[in-house]
Amino acid sequence: MSTITVYTARKIITMNPMQESATHVAVRDGRVLSVGTLADVQAWGAFTLDERFADKVLMPGLVEGHCHLKEGSMWDWTYLGWFDRRDPQGKVWAGLRSMDAVVGRLSEVAAQMAADGVPDDEPLIAWGFDPIYFGGERMTVAHVDCASTTRPIVIGHANGHLMNVNTPMLAIAEVTRDNEVEGVVKFAEGPMAGEPTGELQEPAAMYLVLRKIGTAGLLAPMTQAGVRAFARLACTQGVTTATDLVNKLGEADCAVLENVTADDDFAVRILPAFQAFHGPYGAPQGADHVKALMTRNSDRLRYGLVKMMLDGSIQGFSARLRWPGHFNGAPNGIWVTAPAQYETDFETYHRAGLIVHTHTNGDEASEVAINAIERVLTQAPRPDHRHTLQHGQMIDAPLFQRMAALGLCANLFANHLWYWGDQHYEMTMGPDRANRLDACGSALAAGVPLAIHSDAPVTPLGPLFTAWCAVNRITPKGRVLGENEKITVAQALSAVTLGAAWTLKLDHEIGSIECGKRADFCVLEDDPFTMDPATLKDARVWGTVLSGRVFPANPG
Ligand SMILES: [Zn+2]
């Protein structure tokens, strides 16, 4: 006989437009049985009243439609980012505000590794490096060799699309002036002209290094500890459903995911997306693989998403842009997947009935995706497909109109407005086009289903911060990018609940608090609708409820 628990709260924000708020919610078998007043919910029979949330605000568990589980394990390596950042244990790492500071931290870590007796051939791995903040100065082997000329050093950029290494790592990777792989950057002039600078752009070039450092690098296999750390972080941010938006889904990966999510104390529902590019399979085998995995789905683990990728990153100057290109004159970016290949593979996954999430940063990449998807849908219509463009940072109103006509969803990278908004204004897009960066207002005006995201670990996981970005569109230098692209608090909170759930085709299960859905709640100390929208990011999270199980952010 299943029991009913009734939670009372200061306010329940349901995100259900048919019943916007309530004071009580009844939960049975991990699902919402009833929402309303005490009188409404007690009509369902005997219950236990739980008053622990009596002074809190409940809203639907937050849904992060584009992040990566690596957010939990990046902290095994050295953080080099420009912004201060909190690790899963709560320690705040100071941001590094100059190239010298970056080299300084690398030198300290290299010295510590030597003092600890770590073998000289074990690489020093670092992440979060963001040279665009250093006035366009590019890092080369001349910088990284200052930290060590013996131990290989590998530095991942914040955008995940670029890497820098030192001379020992170039030697191990056998990258020389004769290497013709696209993305191996070489000195244009000076005494080193023609030699590799140590910068490697996009997967093909980065693979030259990653294949040599094997398990000890940025592509290290998932670990149970890393995934558990991610879940702790998710709980502190009110997140109950999260994607892992690129995963090879090999047997070892799946074993980790299935082991960890089998534990009732695991606090987040995971949707891993199959990496349908640069993998060992052709698209037909990839589609069969995903469909076979879907038979192993559980409440906390949902296979079925497919991730494709067209271009690179805007702030890394590797995105594909339409005319007039980069504001600072940098050449156009890189196709990670050739457009013709993309269309062929997309069609295969689409015909297999799977949901495809496509990375398109620049507007040329978004247009290529829309053109390809339009042709595929004309040949093979499929109602309610939920295919989604991810990032879509420079999509304009005409492209949003075409997306709406095709039933395409947008998951826009709203955190960029804060983290790189000034760089887009000054360097990549210019003062005019920067106004349409992550144009949430235009997307909603066109009727495109909208989600917004962090792409953690590219920026920190935190949907309320992401919502704050979309509402305020403010940059660290105080600029407002595109006043008319701002969305309301209600629209932004919808984007991180029902909107994201829609792009994952889970809106029938999660995203709002209403009868029949999973009892997934984000438990808040503050009411986001009564606070000043300029402070939305500061709304305090008490913890979460996932399918009826309560997870405090601070169990101690
Ligand atoms: Zn991503």
Side-chain angles (χ1 to χ4, degrees):
M1 178 70 189
S2 48
T3 56
I4 300 173
T5 304
V6 170
Y7 294 100
T8 179
R10 186 167 107 222
K11 178 179 177 186
I12 299 173
I13 298 167
T14 68
M15 300 310 292
N16 170 10
M18 301 305 144
Q19 181 194 17
E20 290 180 342
S21 69
T23 54
H24 291 74
V25 56
V27 175
R28 192 177 77 190
D29 301 329
R31 300 164 77 176
V32 173
L33 177 67
S34 179
V35 192
T37 62
L38 183 60
D40 295 333
V41 304
Q42 70 186 4
W44 286 88
F47 61 90
T48 308
L49 185 66
D50 190 324
E51 299 193 286
R52 76 179 96 185
F53 302 140
D55 63 344
K56 314 253 183 274
V57 173
L58 301 186
M59 66 176 290
L62 303 178
V63 183
E64 174 49 274
H66 187 156
C67 68
H68 303 273
L69 295 177
K70 265 189 298 186
E71 170 82 340
S73 53
M74 297 304 283
W75 299 95
D76 294 348
W77 306 307
T78 301
Y79 176 63
L80 297 179
W82 196 85
F83 289 92
D84 296 353
R85 188 149 170 176
R86 190 181 303 272
D87 71 18
Q89 277 67 45
K91 175 178 167 153
V92 176
W93 292 77
L96 302 174
R97 301 298 170 90
S98 69
M99 195 74 92
D100 286 348
V102 169
V103 173
R105 183 168 288 170
L106 288 170
S107 302
E108 278 168 31
V109 174
Q112 190 61 48
M113 289 174 83
D116 292 345
V118 177
D120 234 13
D121 59 348
E122 190 167 309
L124 188 172
I125 314 278
W127 67 286
F129 176 57
D130 206 359
I132 201 165
Y133 278 98
F134 305 146
E137 181 187 9
R138 303 307 286 186
M139 175 181 265
T140 71
V141 287
H143 298 100
V144 194
D145 287 350
C146 292
S148 178
T149 51
T150 51
R151 182 182 305 281
I153 297 178
V154 182
I155 299 165
H157 289 223
N159 56 41
H161 292 258
L162 306 178
M163 178 186 280
N164 275 91
V165 301
N166 63 349
T167 301
M169 189 64 241
L170 282 176
I172 291 168
E174 295 160 23
V175 175
T176 67
R177 63 185 301 126
D178 300 324
N179 199 299
E180 298 295 343
V181 172
E182 187 181 17
V184 174
V185 181
K186 294 173 183 162
F187 288 104
E189 52 197 29
M192 300 272 286
E195 295 292 332
T197 68
E199 179 172 324
L200 304 166
Q201 302 180 342
E202 301 301 330
M206 295 196 290
Y207 179 70
L208 298 170
V209 164
L210 294 170
R211 69 187 166 156
K212 296 292 184 181
I213 60 176
T215 59
L218 295 163
L219 290 188
M222 275 191 306
T223 60
Q224 295 203 20
V227 179
R228 286 184 201 282
F230 175 87
R232 276 196 299 279
L233 201 61
C235 179
T236 66
Q237 301 302 317
V239 174
T240 50
T241 299
T243 52
D244 183 29
L245 214 66
V246 62
N247 192 312
K248 287 190 177 3
L249 295 181
E251 269 316 305
D253 304 312
C254 295
V256 168
L257 288 170
E258 288 167 25
N259 252 306
V260 170
T261 57
D263 183 350
D264 279 341
D265 290 329
F266 187 73
V268 64
R269 181 178 297 107
I270 302 288
L271 284 81
F274 175 66
Q275 178 184 327
F277 56 94
H278 295 197
Y281 300 119
Q285 294 87 345
D288 288 346
H289 180 56
V290 176
K291 291 177 83 170
L293 287 174
M294 288 169 73
T295 63
R296 285 144 64 168
N297 280 355
S298 64
D299 177 25
R300 285 186 291 266
L301 179 62
R302 312 291 182 97
Y303 297 109
L305 300 180
V306 172
K307 173 77 176 288
M308 300 188 74
M309 192 155 169
L310 267 170
D311 67 339
S313 107
I314 297 177
Q315 76 278 24
F317 299 98
S318 59
R320 291 293 306 194
L321 301 182
R322 293 188 302 192
W323 187 90
H326 290 107
F327 184 55
N328 70 353
N332 207 350
I334 287 176
W335 292 113
V336 173
T337 305
Q341 182 74 52
Y342 169 77
E343 184 166 338
T344 305
D345 290 351
F346 180 95
E347 180 166 357
T348 302
Y349 288 105
H350 167 80
R351 285 183 183 271
L354 299 168
I355 303 176
V356 181
H357 289 256
T358 303
H359 165 120
T360 66
N361 256 322
D363 49 6
E364 186 187 14
S366 294
E367 186 171 50
V368 160
I370 291 165
N371 290 343
I373 293 169
E374 188 174 70
R375 285 189 290 265
V376 169
L377 289 176
T378 304
Q379 294 296 315
R382 198 181 104 198
D384 206 21
H385 49 72
R386 310 283 173 106
H387 298 311
T388 300
L389 299 190
Q390 291 285 344
H391 304 326
Q393 299 211 69
M394 293 309 299
I395 298 177
D396 59 7
L399 289 178
F400 279 126
Q401 294 292 353
R402 292 183 60 198
M403 288 175 67
L406 294 169
L408 276 173
C409 317
N411 189 346
L412 303 182
F413 198 166
N415 281 21
H416 250 260
L417 293 157
W418 172 257
Y419 281 97
W420 292 281
D422 288 313
Q423 284 67 38
H424 293 313
Y425 184 98
E426 294 164 9
M427 298 172 71
T428 71
M429 290 297 141
D432 175 339
R433 273 185 306 173
N435 286 322
R436 74 161 204 261
L437 190 72
D438 297 295
C440 298
S442 288
L444 290 178
V448 173
L450 176 69
I452 49 181
H453 67 268
S454 68
D455 200 10
V458 176
T459 70
L461 184 73
L464 293 173
F465 178 88
T466 302
W468 172 85
C469 290
V471 166
N472 294 284
R473 299 185 64 87
I474 197 161
T475 71
K477 291 187 180 173
R479 296 183 175 109
V480 171
L481 297 183
E483 178 71 34
N484 294 335
E485 294 291 355
K486 286 182 177 175
I487 58 175
T488 66
V489 170
Q491 289 169 328
L493 294 181
S494 178
V496 296
T497 53
L498 271 181
W502 179 272
T503 67
L504 307 174
K505 213 165 188 172
L506 283 184
D507 53 300
H508 58 297
E509 257 192 84
I510 60 171
S512 63
I513 300 177
E514 56 187 297
C515 178
K517 290 200 177 183
R518 299 269 165 194
D520 287 4
F521 310 138
C522 165
V523 184
L524 296 167
E525 304 282 0
D526 305 301
D527 178 355
F529 283 111
T530 58
M531 46 197 310
D532 178 353
T535 64
L536 181 60
K537 66 182 170 57
D538 304 320
R540 292 166 298 163
V541 175
W542 177 89
T544 59
V545 177
L546 176 68
S547 288
R549 292 182 69 90
V550 177
F551 294 96
N554 287 307

